[in-house]
């Protein structure tokens, strides 16, 4: 559940702007009492990317400059996004998956190394470990937060001596328990790479994700809290990680030698374009606005769905949830989705099959593990539209559809 406590929204320059229930510049509080009878003549989408006029103007400027690939626009985006996260360095990439792959290479993952991660995520979280030569080891999730359970991580660390790192996933816009995971990492000398691909602006006690591990990775896919069309970013406080990542995404070039053809290591072309970076810089300026709107929509749902036989999202004390998804939970998931579809409401199931049950993971050593919390979540979760462009009418349609479903039973 979202809370009504005062929470910070930190600007892109690193300054703190204190706000109440969404922040300065947030929309006026919306009426959340009696629902009007909604119209169902139009559908309510699960996502609606909002690019905006400023981004289009910046793209036009890049087009006119002729510098379309990597260049100053990308460097500026890297710098501003890292500052937003409270990190020293940013390395832009072509998407979130390439960010994860490059970050794991940069922290020194070697062939055969085992890395603990979540089975309840988009498959890229584990795929990147395998692409970097490692072996994913799956720990179960906390059933309330859907993020990796530190207790199960500790169990695995007690059972195995080949674990070298952790890749916690900040799922749906909520950070994993980084205090507990960081303590385990320190105790066992493990690296930590945050998968923050769904959590732009999420925070714990005022510290943003992207600054809580050795490195962190973000995706700018169109449905995310901010977008560049396709794109990714690595943030880190470690100069060595930043340098290795920057080299890896640019064919293994010597990052200290500009655009030379001195290739010091194996690498890929995982670069972000200047066109994408131009969109990203404009989107980053609007990210606080986007996140305030998502939190306001989530708060509306929390209130209006209270008392129904379904679980709404949790926001632990000290955490700031940014609601990439508003995910409810019910044993009646498929029937509820059908009712919502009848009312013109799009929904999503993220994710219907845990990674360890995917066909591509049949040969992975922990594929046969029993992970009951992840498996139950896969059978019961349903995400409702929560994006910033929802209108008052849209939100009321969603709520009325959910109420109709349970009241008709």
């Amino acid at each position: 559940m979202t809370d009504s406590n005062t929470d910070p929204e930190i600007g892109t320059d690193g300054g703190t702007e204190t706000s109440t229930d969404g922040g300065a510049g947030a929309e006026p509080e919306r009426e959340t009492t009696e629902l009007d009878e909604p119209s169902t003549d139009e559908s309510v989408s699960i996502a609606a990317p909002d690019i905006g006029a400023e981004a289009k103007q910046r793209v036009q400027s890049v087009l006119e400059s002729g510098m379309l690939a990597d260049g100053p626009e990308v460097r500026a985006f890297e710098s501003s996004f890292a500052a937003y996260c409270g990190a020293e360095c940013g390395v832009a990439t072509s998407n979130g998956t390439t960010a994860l792959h490059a970050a794991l290479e940069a922290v020194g993952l070697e062939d055969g190394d085992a890395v603990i991660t979540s089975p309840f995520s988009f498959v890229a979280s584990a795929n990147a470990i395998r692409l970097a030569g490692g072996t994913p080891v799956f720990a179960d999730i906390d059933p309330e937060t859907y993020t990796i359970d530190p207790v199960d991580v500790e169990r695995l660390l007690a059972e195995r001596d080949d674990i070298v790192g952790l890749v916690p996933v900040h799922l749906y816009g909520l950070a994993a328990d980084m205090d507990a995971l960081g303590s385990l990492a320190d105790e066992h000398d493990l690296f930590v790479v945050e998968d923050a691909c769904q959590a732009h602006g999420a925070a714990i006690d005022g510290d943003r994700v992207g600054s809580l591990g050795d490195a962190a990775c973000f995706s700018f896919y169109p449905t995310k809290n901010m977008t560049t069309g396709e794109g990714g970013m690595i943030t880190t406080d470690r100069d060595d990680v930043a340098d290795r990542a920057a080299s890896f995404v640019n064919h293994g070039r010597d990052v200290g030698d500009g655009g030379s053809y001195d290739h010091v290591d194996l690498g890929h072309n995982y670069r972000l374009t200047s066109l994408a970076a131009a969109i990203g810089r404009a989107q980053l300026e609007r990210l606080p606005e986007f996140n305030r709107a998502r939190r306001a929509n989530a708060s509306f749902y929390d209130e209006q769905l209270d008392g129904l036989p379904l679980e709404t999202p949790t926001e632990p004390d000290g955490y700031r949830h940014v609601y990439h998804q508003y995910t409810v939970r019910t044993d009646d998931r498929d029937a509820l989705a059908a009712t919502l579809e009848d009312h013109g409401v799009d929904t999503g199931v993220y994710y219907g099959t845990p990674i360890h049950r995917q066909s591509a993971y049949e040969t992975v050593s922990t594929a046969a593990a029993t992970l009951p919390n992840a498996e139950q979540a896969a059978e019961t979760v349903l995400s409702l539209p929560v994006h910033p462009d929802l209108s008052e009418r849209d939100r009321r349609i969603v709520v009325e559809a959910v109420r109709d479903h349970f009241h008709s039973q």
Side-chain angles (χ1 to χ4, degrees):
M1 292 258 207
T2 55
D3 60 28
S4 58
N5 298 330
T6 299
D7 53 44
E9 181 55 64
I10 306 169
T12 57
D13 61 355
T16 301
E17 184 179 60
T18 301
S19 58
T20 301
D21 194 26
E27 299 177 21
E29 186 174 350
R30 291 160 167 160
E31 178 63 40
T32 59
T33 54
E34 196 65 31
L35 291 180
D36 298 329
E37 186 67 26
S39 166
T40 58
D41 56 346
E42 295 181 12
S43 65
V44 182
S45 64
I46 191 69
D50 182 355
I51 300 302
E54 176 65 22
K56 295 173 184 176
Q57 292 174 2
R58 294 190 185 192
V59 168
Q60 183 63 37
S61 295
V62 171
L63 289 170
E64 292 172 356
S65 77
M67 188 171 289
L68 309 185
D70 194 28
E73 193 75 21
V74 178
R75 300 290 86 74
F77 182 39
E78 291 171 332
S79 177
S80 59
F81 191 84
Y84 174 83
C85 294
E88 293 293 326
C89 306
V91 178
T93 73
S94 54
N95 55 62
T97 306
T98 57
L100 285 163
H101 183 189
L104 288 164
E105 296 278 358
V107 296
L109 184 65
E110 297 181 353
D111 288 353
D113 285 346
V115 179
I116 296 177
T117 192
S118 173
F120 193 62
S121 175
F122 184 59
V123 72
S125 303
N127 279 357
I129 296 170
R130 295 177 71 184
L131 289 168
T135 299
V137 177
F138 297 109
D140 209 355
I141 62 169
D142 181 314
E144 292 190 2
T145 65
Y146 306 108
T147 60
I148 196 168
D149 182 358
V151 173
D152 206 38
V153 172
E154 188 171 20
R155 174 188 64 81
L156 288 168
L157 290 171
E159 293 176 355
R160 305 179 60 136
D161 60 6
D162 59 342
I163 306 297
V164 302
L166 307 178
V167 177
V169 180
H170 306 317
L171 198 70
Y172 300 147
L174 180 66
D177 186 348
M178 295 302 292
D179 287 342
L181 294 171
S183 294
L184 289 171
D186 290 344
E187 180 183 348
H188 294 272
D189 193 24
L190 311 175
F191 68 72
V192 178
V193 173
E194 304 170 66
D195 181 340
C197 289
Q198 298 185 7
H200 316 64
I204 304 174
D205 295 330
D207 294 325
R208 287 215 176 107
V209 302
S211 65
L212 306 177
D214 293 282
C217 302
F218 295 83
S219 166
F220 303 124
Y221 188 73
T223 60
K224 299 299 169 67
N225 291 42
M226 60 170 284
T227 185
T228 61
E230 275 275 23
M233 186 73 73
I234 300 165
T235 57
T236 182
D237 287 333
R238 290 177 49 181
D239 290 340
D240 61 329
V241 171
D243 288 347
R244 286 196 292 266
S247 175
F248 188 78
V249 305
N250 193 15
H251 299 288
R253 281 177 167 156
D254 182 350
V255 295
D257 200 16
S260 78
Y261 288 94
D262 183 12
H263 300 270
V264 297
D265 210 338
L266 188 66
H268 285 272
N269 178 1
Y270 283 172
R271 299 186 302 256
L272 187 73
T273 69
S274 293
L275 295 169
I279 297 172
R281 292 179 68 193
Q283 287 273 296
L284 180 59
E285 292 172 2
R286 300 182 65 194
L287 181 57
E289 163 200 344
F290 290 154
N291 284 344
R292 285 193 294 267
R294 287 177 179 273
R295 286 178 59 82
N297 291 336
S299 182
F300 179 87
Y301 288 153
D302 285 347
E303 179 180 337
Q304 296 295 336
L305 300 179
D306 186 41
L308 295 178
L310 82 170
E311 296 178 29
T312 54
T314 293
E315 184 179 63
D317 289 343
Y319 284 62
R320 179 179 174 82
H321 201 317
V322 293
Y323 296 96
H324 170 62
Q325 301 292 347
Y326 185 91
T327 300
V328 299
R329 187 167 181 167
T330 172
D331 292 336
D332 201 28
R333 189 262 307 282
D334 294 342
L336 175 59
T339 299
L340 286 159
E341 183 179 11
D342 289 343
H343 282 71
V345 177
D346 290 343
T347 59
V349 175
Y350 311 109
Y351 298 89
T353 303
I355 299 173
H356 68 295
R357 296 291 185 235
Q358 297 280 353
S359 298
Y361 279 76
E362 290 177 353
T363 60
V364 173
S365 61
T366 54
T370 299
L371 303 169
N373 293 337
E375 290 157 16
Q376 185 181 37
E379 296 175 355
T380 56
V381 295
L382 185 70
S383 294
L384 308 180
V386 73
H387 58 81
D389 283 353
L390 289 177
S391 66
E392 185 73 10
R393 168 193 166 277
D394 292 336
R395 300 190 313 175
R396 290 175 181 271
I397 288 173
V398 173
V399 167
E400 194 66 28
V402 176
R403 287 182 175 180
D404 282 355
H405 175 78
F406 288 109
H407 290 163
S408 66
Q409 294 182 340

